[in-house]
Amino acid sequence: MPTKVENWKSEVYGNEIREHLMEFAEEGWDAIPEDEHDAWFERFKWWGLYHQRKGQESYFMMRIGTPNGVLEPGQLRVVGEIADEYARGPVDNPEFGGAYCDWTTRQSIQLHWIKLEDIPEIFEKLEANGLSTQQACGDSWRNIVGCPVAGKDEHEHIDAWPVAQDLHETFKGDDDHTNLPRKWKVSVTGCDQGCGQGDINDLAFEPAEKDGELGFNVRVGGGLARKEPRFARDIDVWVPTEKVNEVAGGMSALFREYGDREDRFNARIKFLVDEWGPEKVRSVLQEEFVDFELPTAGEDMRDQYTYNAGTGEHGDHVGVYDQPDGKNYVGLNVLVGRMGVDDVLELADLAEEYGSGEVRLTQRQNVIVTDVPDEELDAFLDEPLLEDYSPDPSPFMRGSIACTGTEFCSLSIVETKNRQVRYARWLKDNVELPSEVEDFHIHLSGCTASCAQPQIADISLRGMKTRKDGEPVEALDIGLGGGLGEEPRFADWVELRVPVDEVPGAIKNLVANYEAERDGTETFREFVARHDEDALAEFVEPEETDYEDPYMHNTKMTWYPYTDDDEMSDSPAPTNGDGEPLAPADD
């Protein structure tokens, strides 16, 4: 039997949701029948809207898709202006203020505290400037990811930006690919760094050569969620650039027809690849979904992949780098991927003043300003904003990634963004890495959904709960040694349910043991791979330090983790279009 979500989608889904959404926006929050909330919230995702968690009724997270992370000149300013006007809730975040933008691990943008009544005006402004929330969420093609400096990188074999752009324009809003069994994540990589992260996507195109021609090998079935991570598997197909759309459309249609619609937990292409095997995937693709002979795989460039491989790399694009045209791109570290709106608008000014106005987003939650001439570079690097968003940060700042957490997410178990900011700053001040270690990745995910991609970090943190001194507290599982690159591997989970205030001490002790026990100059990832889980668990020694965690006592139990108990302890939600609390229905 189809799931309830499939039944909801069979009634209304895809582009037609927009008409209903606009009607609800005009009439207000109360216009959505209470017994239909779950159905409509599921449908709204197709237009980039997630309803926020309990206690925040009538507020939405809005996701804006930016294919390949490219924000064309002027678009960053538009996003900042929308955040400034519409993304302000009843309580400020103590670290980031009242309005901010989140850069995601899929090169998208998320805004919070969006009111239903404001959506028509927001959509109008986005779309007038070439931006959209269409299919940013939902059971369809998600934002296409890839090397964020495609077309501006000296390390690329193929400029993948036109390929990603063509895929975006072809399949966004295409009725034949509107309603898939679950989300569909596509990566296109043209460089030798592997920074498109094809290994963890449903469908990946990676640079490969066949008979002297450069094109792409195809991998299928990667993903991290549900505690069942998979690396995408090679299906022995090479495709020239002009055929990418046909193969991508064929794979999407294969998933549409054969993906599991009776069990949403099993409704990802990775489980179909498990069941069928890569050989059957290839044969069904050939026989039923493409009308030309699929070439066998070519010689791939994976032996050159260094992205998140534990060795010296430029793959996170933080720093100053040459462009082929003689200009420069400058990658700025954005701690946990969040920028206050004033900083967003200032960055838009700087991008226009020193570059072309174009800004790009990375899968490490960072931003890149492109097209900076040599003669403008020093002045740009001297701008005060770059003191907070450095192109040369501490490895602990550079490698910190965090998901949304209990601030807004109903799935998350623990607070994440502000906590990882505190972790990174404490580690920077209190822990010394070996001198040659420039990359050290710590990813904090609030639950097992893996939005922060914890399984591919040097240190993986996953939200849990435990008890300490007889009281319930937030806790984290600790995993070690994950990463991508030529030979990807997932983290080993070696220590479970560590109280959050003991995690910095655990990391400090782990780094000390790594430096004392490492073999020569081996990377942290090599060090982890050389030891079994029991030995690794002994290297992790949870310990209280002078680190203090103000969020450790069940942030999920409050309507907003940062609310002062003496001020607005009761949620004002739901509210009307002006943010004023609505009277209870029985008043």
Side-chain angles (χ1 to χ4, degrees):
M1 295 290 291
T3 64
K4 62 182 180 181
V5 173
E6 287 298 322
N7 287 325
W8 295 334
K9 292 194 298 176
S10 70
E11 296 169 358
V12 179
Y13 208 60
N15 290 298
E16 62 181 324
I17 297 168
R18 183 181 178 119
E19 181 180 347
H20 297 274
L21 179 59
M22 293 303 175
E23 290 175 358
F24 289 135
E26 183 178 352
E27 297 176 24
W29 168 258
D30 281 345
I32 307 175
E34 189 168 349
D35 61 349
E36 297 179 18
H37 276 187
D38 289 345
W40 285 111
F41 296 162
E42 186 64 39
R43 294 170 183 141
F44 289 171
K45 292 176 185 177
W46 202 90
W47 279 99
L49 294 164
Y50 270 90
H51 186 243
Q52 291 179 185
R53 69 176 180 87
K54 184 178 180 181
Q56 299 171 9
E57 291 79 11
S58 76
Y59 290 101
F60 290 83
M61 178 272 281
M62 174 179 285
R63 184 178 296 154
I64 303 165
T66 54
N68 214 79
V70 176
L71 281 164
E72 296 175 353
Q75 289 182 335
L76 180 64
R77 172 168 301 285
V78 169
V79 171
E81 289 173 351
I82 289 171
D84 195 23
E85 184 171 358
Y86 299 106
R88 293 185 180 273
V91 180
D92 287 356
N93 181 295
E95 180 65 40
F96 299 100
Y100 34 84
C101 297
D102 285 346
W103 320 128
T104 79
T105 53
R106 288 197 60 79
Q107 296 173 283
S108 296
I109 304 164
Q110 292 183 172
L111 307 179
H112 301 282
W113 298 118
I114 299 297
K115 299 294 299 174
L116 184 68
E117 294 86 347
D118 292 329
I119 287 168
E121 293 179 16
I122 295 173
F123 277 12
E124 182 178 2
K125 185 163 184 173
L126 285 173
E127 291 163 5
N129 290 277
L131 294 164
S132 175
T133 68
Q134 185 185 50
Q135 291 177 226
C137 317
D139 293 349
S140 189
W141 281 64
R142 296 294 185 87
N143 194 53
I144 295 165
V145 298
C147 175
V149 289
K152 299 179 184 290
D153 186 19
E154 293 186 331
H155 297 82
E156 66 186 10
H157 304 285
I158 302 173
D159 180 1
W161 167 228
V163 179
Q165 191 174 32
D166 196 23
L167 287 169
H168 172 82
E169 292 172 354
T170 299
F171 294 104
K172 287 291 183 177
D174 185 327
D175 287 340
D176 289 340
H177 302 270
T178 289
N179 183 358
L180 302 180
R182 284 292 302 277
K183 64 188 76 170
W184 183 245
K185 297 182 175 181
V186 179
S187 166
V188 185
T189 302
C191 71
D192 59 15
Q193 302 295 307
C195 50
Q197 297 195 153
D199 278 311
I200 57 171
N201 277 267
D202 297 303
L203 175 62
F205 295 94
E206 299 182 320
E209 184 178 12
K210 189 174 180 68
D211 299 329
E213 182 180 359
L214 282 169
F216 300 92
N217 280 351
V218 181
R219 291 176 179 262
V220 178
L224 298 178
R226 216 187 103 178
K227 289 189 177 180
E228 296 189 54
R230 300 284 190 281
F231 290 121
R233 281 146 281 186
D234 190 345
I235 62 168
D236 191 26
V237 169
W238 177 87
V239 57
T241 55
E242 65 271 16
K243 294 284 189 180
V244 167
N245 274 13
E246 293 178 62
V247 171
M251 276 305 311
S252 175
L254 182 152
F255 179 50
R256 179 191 67 213
E257 298 303 317
Y258 291 104
D260 192 338
R261 293 183 184 265
E262 297 182 359
D263 180 358
R264 282 187 69 78
F265 290 107
N266 201 45
R268 293 299 298 273
I269 191 70
K270 64 183 178 181
F271 297 118
L272 186 63
V273 179
D274 287 351
E275 180 184 345
W276 283 8
E279 297 80 7
K280 183 175 179 180
V281 171
R282 188 192 200 283
S283 65
V284 173
L285 174 66
Q286 176 71 84
E287 293 166 9
E288 301 183 28
F289 298 101
V290 296
D291 58 7
F292 63 93
E293 188 70 25
L294 291 170
T296 55
E299 181 180 353
D300 67 38
M301 280 74 174
R302 290 182 64 85
D303 61 350
Q304 301 175 50
Y305 277 12
T306 61
Y307 186 76
N308 204 5
T311 57
E313 58 176 279
H314 93 287
D316 67 358
H317 304 291
V318 172
V320 180
Y321 300 97
D322 295 333
Q323 295 179 184
D325 62 2
K327 296 181 180 179
N328 306 273
Y329 71 81
V330 182
L332 306 180
N333 175 230
V334 182
L335 186 56
V336 303
R338 178 170 284 181
M339 290 185 76
V341 70
D342 291 342
D343 291 346
V344 173
L345 293 170
E346 184 175 351
L347 180 63
D349 288 340
L350 297 181
E352 292 172 0
E353 179 180 354
Y354 293 103
S356 63
E358 180 188 79
V359 172
R360 299 194 177 191
L361 310 177
T362 82
Q363 292 192 75
R364 292 263 181 82
Q365 301 181 325
N366 295 318
V367 297
I368 299 168
V369 175
T370 65
D371 307 317
V372 180
D374 287 343
E375 61 270 20
E376 300 284 354
L377 183 60
D378 287 343
F380 177 54
L381 296 175
D382 284 340
E383 286 287 344
L385 185 71
L386 272 63
E387 295 177 10
D388 294 323
Y389 304 99
S390 173
D392 185 26
S394 153
F396 291 117
M397 310 289 277
R398 180 175 189 159
S400 286
I401 286 178
C403 70
T404 299
T406 52
E407 184 175 9
F408 301 113
C409 180
S410 60
L411 296 178
S412 185
I413 301 171
V414 301
E415 197 279 339
T416 55
K417 290 282 190 186
N418 284 23
R419 175 169 289 134
Q420 185 59 33
V421 167
R422 297 174 68 88
Y423 279 178
R425 290 173 178 165
W426 188 91
L427 292 167
K428 175 187 174 184
D429 292 341
N430 291 276
V431 179
E432 286 281 341
L433 285 163
S435 58
E436 74 280 5
V437 176
E438 298 178 356
D439 299 288
F440 198 78
H441 311 292
I442 302 175
H443 295 195
L444 171 55
S445 200
C447 71
T448 60
S450 301
C451 297
Q453 302 174 346
Q455 297 95 326
I456 58 168
D458 293 303
I459 296 181
S460 311
L461 304 176
R462 181 173 64 196
M464 290 290 162
K465 289 290 177 66
T466 192
R467 299 188 74 84
K468 181 173 181 175
D469 300 329
E471 295 187 14
V473 297
E474 300 193 351
L476 298 170
D477 292 344
I478 299 178
L480 303 178
L484 300 180
E486 179 188 354
E487 297 180 0
R489 72 185 302 270
F490 294 126
D492 296 320
W493 296 97
V494 301
E495 192 76 23
L496 304 181
R497 299 181 184 275
V498 178
V500 290
D501 64 331
E502 299 178 23
V503 170
I507 295 173
K508 181 177 182 179
N509 292 331
L510 173 64
V511 170
N513 285 325
Y514 161 52
E515 185 161 25
E517 302 291 336
R518 69 196 295 222
D519 185 0
T521 60
E522 71 181 341
T523 67
F524 184 77
R525 189 166 150 194
E526 292 168 340
F527 172 76
V528 171
R530 186 166 57 84
H531 293 87
D532 61 29
E533 290 191 11
D534 289 340
L536 293 172
E538 292 182 4
F539 292 142
V540 179
E541 305 169 41
E543 180 183 3
E544 290 186 4
T545 62
D546 62 355
Y547 169 82
E548 296 181 1
D549 197 305
Y551 311 117
M552 67 183 295
H553 292 284
N554 280 333
T555 57
K556 193 68 178 260
M557 301 300 291
T558 63
W559 75 275
Y560 188 65
Y562 316 118
T563 304
D564 189 327
D565 289 339
D566 297 327
E567 181 183 345
M568 202 182 289
S569 59
D570 295 326
S571 171
T575 64
N576 62 20
D578 297 322
E580 299 167 345
L582 292 169
D586 57 356
D587 277 11

